[in-house]
Amino acid sequence: MTIDARLLVALKGADLAASTARLTLLDKMGYGDTLLGLRRFDYFDLAIETAADGPAAVAALKRILDRQSTFYNRNKHLYALECRWEGQTHAEGVSREDLERRFVAGLGGSGGPADSGGKDAGKKFILNGSKGFLVEVLVEDDDRSARDAIAAKVQGDLAGLPDTRDATVRCRHRATVWWLALLADVPVAAEEMARRIAATERRDAGLLYNPNYQRAEIGPARRIGQERS
Amino acid sequence: MKAKVLIIQFPGVNCEYESLRAVEAVGLAGEIRRWNDARAAVREAAAVIVPGGWSYQDRIRAGVVAAKDGVMEEVAEAAARGVPVIGICNGAQILVESGIVPGFEPGRVEVALAPNAMTGRRGYYCAWVHVRRAPARCLFTEDLPDEPVPITLAHAEGRFVTSDERVRARLEAGEGVALVYCTPGGGPAGAFPQNPNGSTLAIAALTNPAGNAMAVMPHPERAGWVHQVPRYVGGRWGGARRRDATTGDLFAAGPGMAIFTALARAVRS
């Protein structure tokens, strides 16, 4: 049986890397009128092959995740864990939808571009008028070594637990996920803007990844408040 | 009045004073200026040093946030005018993310300094290694002898890499390659630790086509005096270190000083 485990981890408190990215985009790269907000996550996508039944394997995985700080530390991180196997699902931590609600609630207020020169009220109005889009950007190194190291670590730890001695683990993604809240008229414009923000092609264009050693997946733009399909 | 070498202090850098010391040792006047107070100074500088450290705490990606600062626009223009510009370690990452180096198409980010790829370990690596001059003409390497030069490095993201086949072909032809890692005997670097970060073509430094801007991952300013060379380094520099420990001449010029003597000659000319 294969268990697909997807883990999204964010800091509970201030994320200085995300703040720096936001301020760089607002103040140095000219996105002050279009970037509503930005959030950053660590993302892990694991495939676990085991003869153990689903709930036992998920319990073993959860024990490993909880007892070490490789993935998250509950004192300082929020996390959303989703496990799927043979048509069943198990979720732990904050749901992804709740993470999204919290993110959207902060837009245009203190959690949004608070230093955008008094434009917050206007942005909130525009947001309520549904011109805001959420675009997810997944950034990952081409080099597999970080993914292989994570897989080896989890597999080694699962081998030490009675139900999952036989488990083999693949790490499909070990990535940084950015959520961008953008003002645009249509989804395709928001996606194009996310592409320009993400790919560092020139000194004056792009911030979030360097295509010479990283790759990105840019998700479809969704109107803020619209349910994920 | 001596022409000034401008050393740009981005938040988080920590090698500005070593860089200033090396500049002054070759008879140049240097000045450290903060990044947000340096634009006008860049226009008047005889040369620019972007020193090592962790600008902006390496947030997002080493060097990328500093590359977006307005002062780097001035540095790019200075490099285009022929002003000597050297980026050391984090400074090299900033020059690369600014598209100043290799600069085949100025402004375009043609390479990256990716996380080190090392056998059996990951992350930060600090060691003495050997480099030698590569074919590309670069004013900073003109005083280096045609022999392996010991030099120290300390970084987690020092692997020059490109995804652009045309850029790679030009690098393979020797264009833009100023320094390569090598064995202590001067032979081509093999795997780690001779090539300490898995850099493409064992590249340790890249230059722009005009040869006046260089992004170098090892630290020449930390190899500027004999006393900085460890005793275990072989060859004539290790020998000098062991000998000078007894003769007291530890402040004789070390292997990295040749980068700064070449800079001094370029500034004076």
Side-chain angles (χ1 to χ4, degrees), chain B residues 59-258:
Chain B
R59 291 175 194 168
I60 307 170
R61 194 169 64 250
V64 70
V65 179
K68 307 300 183 193
D69 271 315
V71 70
M72 289 311 298
E73 199 176 310
E74 300 287 350
V75 174
E77 286 173 14
R81 289 197 307 273
V83 172
V85 173
I86 180 170
I88 302 168
C89 193
N90 186 228
Q93 293 160 340
I94 295 169
L95 294 196
V96 159
E97 291 283 352
S98 299
I100 295 172
V101 169
F104 297 139
E105 184 187 320
R108 185 167 161 251
V109 179
E110 297 166 313
V111 300
L113 279 157
N116 297 344
M118 302 175 286
T119 311
R121 58 184 294 164
R122 296 172 49 77
Y124 185 80
Y125 183 63
C126 176
W128 279 75
V129 297
H130 286 81
V131 296
R132 61 178 166 77
R133 287 172 61 176
R137 196 180 67 79
C138 176
L139 71 84
F140 292 99
T141 59
E142 285 176 356
D143 285 1
L144 286 173
D146 284 324
E147 62 183 47
V149 175
I151 195 163
T152 184
L153 54 73
H155 57 245
E157 292 94 10
R159 180 166 54 101
F160 282 102
V161 62
T162 181
S163 62
D164 185 327
E165 287 304 317
R166 289 169 303 174
V167 171
R168 188 182 166 90
R170 293 180 76 166
L171 297 176
E172 282 176 351
E175 285 185 68
V177 182
L179 291 173
V180 292
Y181 298 108
C182 65
T183 66
F192 178 81
Q194 290 170 0
N195 180 343
N197 47 37
S199 198
T200 301
L201 307 170
I203 294 168
L206 284 179
T207 183
N208 64 346
N212 66 303
M214 181 169 81
V216 57
M217 284 312 298
H219 284 266
E221 83 285 12
R222 294 184 191 173
W225 287 268
V226 167
H227 71 83
Q228 292 176 309
V229 180
R231 288 185 171 84
Y232 60 76
V233 167
R236 74 177 171 105
W237 289 107
R241 173 68 176 85
R242 289 187 292 274
R243 188 175 58 249
D244 292 347
T246 55
T247 61
D249 195 17
L250 289 173
F251 285 88
M257 194 56 82

Side-chain angles (χ1 to χ4, degrees), chain A residues 166-178:
Chain A
D166 66 326
T168 58
V169 179
R170 279 181 301 122
C171 182
R172 289 184 289 224
H173 293 291
R174 189 269 174 264
T176 301
V177 165
W178 300 87

Side-chain angles (χ1 to χ4, degrees), chain A:
Chain A
M1 176 177 52
T2 302
I3 296 171
D4 294 320
R6 293 174 185 186
L7 178 65
L8 206 55
V9 180
L11 284 163
K12 281 181 181 173
D15 181 347
L16 297 180
S19 296
T20 301
R22 187 168 60 81
L23 291 175
T24 301
L25 290 163
L26 293 179
D27 296 340
K28 299 178 186 175
M29 298 179 69
Y31 287 97
D33 292 329
T34 47
L35 180 69
L36 294 165
L38 174 149
R39 183 126 204 224
R40 184 183 68 113
F41 302 88
D42 285 330
Y43 178 61
F44 306 89
D45 182 350
L46 304 172
I48 302 164
E49 298 274 355
T50 176
D53 65 53
V58 169
L61 176 65
K62 194 69 181 50
R63 274 183 70 187
I64 289 166
L65 297 180
D66 277 351
R67 77 179 182 199
Q68 55 179 257
S69 57
T70 304
F71 299 92
Y72 58 77
N73 176 330
R74 279 184 292 183
N75 295 300
K76 66 174 184 177
H77 291 118
L78 293 168
Y79 68 93
L81 173 67
E82 291 176 356
C83 296
R84 295 172 192 274
W85 71 96
E86 295 179 343
Q88 298 186 63
T89 61
H90 176 86
E92 288 263 351
V94 182
S95 73
R96 196 179 165 109
E97 286 68 25
D98 195 27
L99 285 174
E100 195 172 313
R101 267 193 297 277
R102 293 180 193 207
F103 174 58
V104 170
L107 298 176
S110 58
D115 42 359
S116 59
K119 296 175 184 171
D120 290 355
K123 283 186 176 175
K124 195 136 200 164
F125 174 78
I126 293 167
L127 194 59
N128 291 338
S130 292
K131 283 191 173 180
F133 289 90
L134 181 66
V135 187
E136 183 172 297
V137 179
L138 180 148
V139 174
E140 188 164 50
D141 288 8
D142 288 333
D143 180 11
R144 278 206 59 85
S145 61
R147 276 168 273 167
D148 292 343
I150 290 283
K153 169 89 177 125
V154 175
Q155 184 169 313
D157 288 347
L158 286 174
L161 297 174
D163 291 330
T164 51
R165 290 189 202 287
D166 66 326
T168 58
V169 179
R170 279 181 301 122
C171 182
R172 289 184 289 224
H173 293 291
R174 189 269 174 264
T176 301
V177 165
W178 300 87
W179 284 358
L180 303 177
L182 301 166
L183 276 183
D185 289 327
V186 290
V188 69
E191 288 160 17
E192 181 51 35
M193 196 186 306
R195 213 163 272 122
R196 286 202 307 273
I197 284 173
T200 309
E201 306 277 3
R202 304 185 58 82
R203 190 194 81 77
D204 53 3
L207 180 69
L208 303 181
Y209 78 100
N210 185 323
N212 288 293
Y213 79 101
Q214 294 173 307
R215 61 179 198 85
E217 292 174 16
I218 299 185
R222 284 184 294 114
R223 254 181 226 289
I224 288 173
Q226 188 181 356
E227 291 294 316
R228 228 173 14 128
S229 57

